[in-house]
Amino acid sequence: MPHPSFAPSSTPPDWPHCGHDTTPEDPVGCRGIHVLGHTACLAHLADAGRDAYLASLSAGTDIDHRGTPFTEHLLNRLLDALSDPTDGHPRFGRARFDEASFADARFSNVAFIRDVSFCDVTFTGIAWFIGAVFENSCFFNRAKFFRGAVFRQAVFTGTAEFWCGHFETMSSFNKATFASDVHLGGTVFRGAADFDETRFKMASRVGPFACFDIASFRAAEFDAPVQLEIAADLVILNGARWASKAAIQLRYAYLDLSDAVLEYPVTVTTHPTPFPSYPMLFPLPEGELTGRDLDVRIVSLTGVDTAYLALHNVDLTECRFAGAVHLDQLRVDGWCTFATAPADWGWRFPWRWSRRRVLVEEHDWRARSGGRSYGWRIPHETVPTLRPAALAALYRELRKSLEDGKNEPGAADFYFGESEMRRHDKDDTTCAERLLLTAYWAFSGYGLRASRALGWLTAAMTITVVLLMGFGIPQNSPRQEATGTVPTGGGRVTFEIDKADPQNPTGDRFTGERFDKAFSVTLNSVVFRSTSQDLTTAGTYIEMVSRVAEPVLLGLAILAVRNRVKR
């Protein structure tokens, strides 16, 4: 659906217009304003009248050519008439080109020393404003650029308005300078929008605008507090610099923040609803972006000092954290999502990976490390693989970041990842430490897998019960016996009371009665309680081992539950 601002109008302009070239489809005809003293616009003026008018112009003259259709030749003659003889560059006074149309427009190195208006202008050919200087306000509201629009190295000293503009192909503001506010609300870039190395000195708001391709702000500079509002396919802020606080609100976009310089707090968030198309408050046209996942997907924080960075409701599934510093101070709020370990059963392996959040760098390492690499995403061949020690450091810093944000359950997966990398690190982790970590992983998933610890506890108790039934419970409970001598003449009698040694079982050992006794002994061992059950020598040792191993497994299960639910 076309934007309401782009709808053609059959209403006559509110100035005396030329009226040439009327047709049944366009009864208004040419909308060009009359040249002063004539009844035609500059495009339809007789040659003698046009020559006389152009000869009357000089550098800095105010002009009014609203609605005029400019060919490349006619525009060049106008620029020549306004050229400054000292440097040969055209200089405009107050210039009005509202609703005019241009074929190829080359305004390169032109100086507009007063306000200039290109509202509702149509540029059917190229529009070059390379090195142009706008010393006061300029207005390109609802302007339509159907071929390349180039404002490279242009200087906007006053307010620059591009409300509801339309750029059909690639546009470039490369190395431009906006010394005051720039208004891009409602603008649509169907091609790439290049703001590389552009400087925004006083802009408080950039957008909201839509870009159906790449919106690039490489090495751009933002000197004042600013709010970026963009719906785009890809937003590149590589090397961008913020000298004040900023709020970056995006929709649909992949975002590259690598090497960005943050001197003040910067927030990145997914905007949940369509941006309004200021100043008319129509929804911003989102074109082919509509229907896609609107979440912002950050692809890189490499080289960023994240101490001032806050992420809210963004997708970090493909984000590369390697090379970022102060990750422990990164703020991660809302429902930020990370990559996950493979959840499917591998056809080559009879096990599955624990479901947990991981970094994309671990995907790279697992896929290239051999062994159990099934299900891990294979990286591009140009992507370097980090050592386990470096991965452990990334997990450690991100874990601390989440813990400082009071998200201990969310930090648990990063503790798991840190421990995994330490366990696999053969360079910086000793063999004894790796063996200890392996045991910790096997028995409880580093104190985070309660089901694993409970499974081992159940297995240990089952084994203990079986061993006690088979070897630990005596054949019969030993009886106490009193021995002594009874004198015939009366007097004091002394007896020795003793208990026979338990006898090893024989015959059928796996009976219900023996199971009850064995289960009671085992259960008491788990909670460090003593039992009155008589045991054989083998049963005594079995119980001793049970009293050590099973309470440890129970403790690991309790620890895992606590780590998952604590606040």
Side-chain angles (χ1 to χ4, degrees), residues 45-60:
L45 196 62
D47 291 344
R50 183 185 301 118
D51 293 342
Y53 168 74
L54 293 175
S56 69
L57 301 180
S58 61

Side-chain angles (χ1 to χ4, degrees), residues 174-391:
N174 180 267
K175 296 184 179 180
T177 299
F178 293 93
S180 187
D181 280 331
V182 52
H183 300 295
L184 290 165
T187 298
V188 174
F189 297 88
R190 296 194 64 84
D194 177 9
F195 291 89
D196 293 348
E197 299 183 62
T198 299
R199 186 173 184 183
F200 300 87
K201 290 186 176 181
M202 296 296 294
S204 60
R205 191 176 210 148
V206 178
F209 68 81
C211 179
F212 304 156
D213 203 310
I214 301 173
S216 179
F217 292 82
R218 288 184 179 91
E221 297 184 30
F222 301 89
D223 296 342
V226 65
Q227 184 170 341
L228 271 68
E229 298 174 308
I230 305 172
D233 183 63
L234 171 63
V235 176
I236 299 178
L237 290 169
N238 184 303
R241 184 185 187 94
W242 283 270
S244 189
K245 62 183 180 180
I248 304 173
Q249 300 185 12
L250 306 177
R251 287 170 60 81
Y252 307 108
Y254 285 91
L255 174 61
D256 183 358
L257 268 174
S258 56
D259 299 315
V261 180
L262 284 56
E263 299 180 17
Y264 286 84
V266 174
T267 303
V268 179
T269 185
T270 298
H271 197 277
T273 58
F275 294 114
S277 184
Y278 297 109
M280 297 183 299
L281 301 182
F282 289 104
L284 176 67
E286 295 179 338
E288 56 258 34
L289 298 174
T290 304
R292 293 170 43 181
D293 184 0
L294 63 85
D295 295 346
V296 177
R297 287 149 288 182
I298 299 180
V299 297
S300 179
L301 292 176
T302 300
V304 179
D305 185 341
T306 61
Y308 288 115
L309 182 60
L311 307 178
H312 184 75
N313 293 356
V314 298
D315 187 339
L316 299 170
T317 300
E318 301 178 44
C319 182
R320 298 195 175 277
F321 293 91
V325 296
H326 293 145
L327 282 172
D328 58 324
Q329 299 178 47
L330 173 67
R331 289 289 304 276
V332 180
D333 300 322
W335 42 256
C336 294
T337 57
F338 290 83
T340 58
D344 297 333
W345 292 81
W347 64 272
R348 295 174 57 189
F349 304 103
W351 56 71
R352 65 192 300 270
W353 295 95
S354 298
R355 188 71 176 178
R356 62 182 174 92
R357 296 188 295 178
V358 301
L359 301 183
V360 68
E361 286 89 349
E362 183 175 347
H363 270 272
D364 299 343
W365 180 82
R366 295 277 187 184
R368 289 173 171 170
S369 64
R372 295 175 57 194
S373 60
Y374 176 84
W376 295 90
R377 185 176 57 189
I378 299 175
H380 191 272
E381 59 184 9
T382 61
V383 175
T385 302
L386 298 183
R387 295 170 51 224
L391 277 169

Side-chain angles (χ1 to χ4, degrees), residues 60-239:
T61 302
D62 293 345
I63 63 169
D64 185 354
H65 293 296
R66 288 173 287 175
T68 302
F70 280 90
T71 63
E72 182 179 9
H73 175 70
L74 179 60
L75 177 60
N76 289 338
R77 290 196 63 188
L78 178 63
L79 295 176
D80 290 339
L82 294 169
S83 295
D84 190 329
T86 60
D87 57 13
H89 295 164
R91 292 173 63 84
F92 287 79
R94 188 172 190 269
R96 301 187 69 180
F97 292 100
D98 302 335
E99 297 190 32
S101 63
F102 293 88
D104 284 347
R106 292 176 170 86
F107 286 93
S108 300
N109 298 313
V110 170
F112 298 92
I113 62 177
R114 296 182 63 188
D115 291 352
V116 57
S117 178
F118 286 90
C119 293
D120 298 291
V121 167
T122 300
F123 295 92
T124 57
I126 60 175
W128 285 1
F129 290 83
I130 301 172
V133 177
F134 300 87
E135 297 184 11
N136 279 278
S137 298
C138 64
F139 306 91
F140 287 85
N141 302 330
R142 299 173 301 281
K144 307 173 187 67
F145 301 85
F146 287 96
R147 290 184 63 188
V150 182
F151 290 83
R152 186 180 303 123
Q153 296 179 324
V155 177
F156 299 86
T157 303
T159 300
E161 292 193 2
F162 290 84
W163 295 116
C164 301
H166 182 91
F167 295 83
E168 186 65 27
T169 59
M170 179 179 178
S171 57
S172 175
F173 291 83
N174 180 267
K175 296 184 179 180
T177 299
F178 293 93
S180 187
D181 280 331
V182 52
H183 300 295
L184 290 165
T187 298
V188 174
F189 297 88
R190 296 194 64 84
D194 177 9
F195 291 89
D196 293 348
E197 299 183 62
T198 299
R199 186 173 184 183
F200 300 87
K201 290 186 176 181
M202 296 296 294
S204 60
R205 191 176 210 148
V206 178
F209 68 81
C211 179
F212 304 156
D213 203 310
I214 301 173
S216 179
F217 292 82
R218 288 184 179 91
E221 297 184 30
F222 301 89
D223 296 342
V226 65
Q227 184 170 341
L228 271 68
E229 298 174 308
I230 305 172
D233 183 63
L234 171 63
V235 176
I236 299 178
L237 290 169
N238 184 303

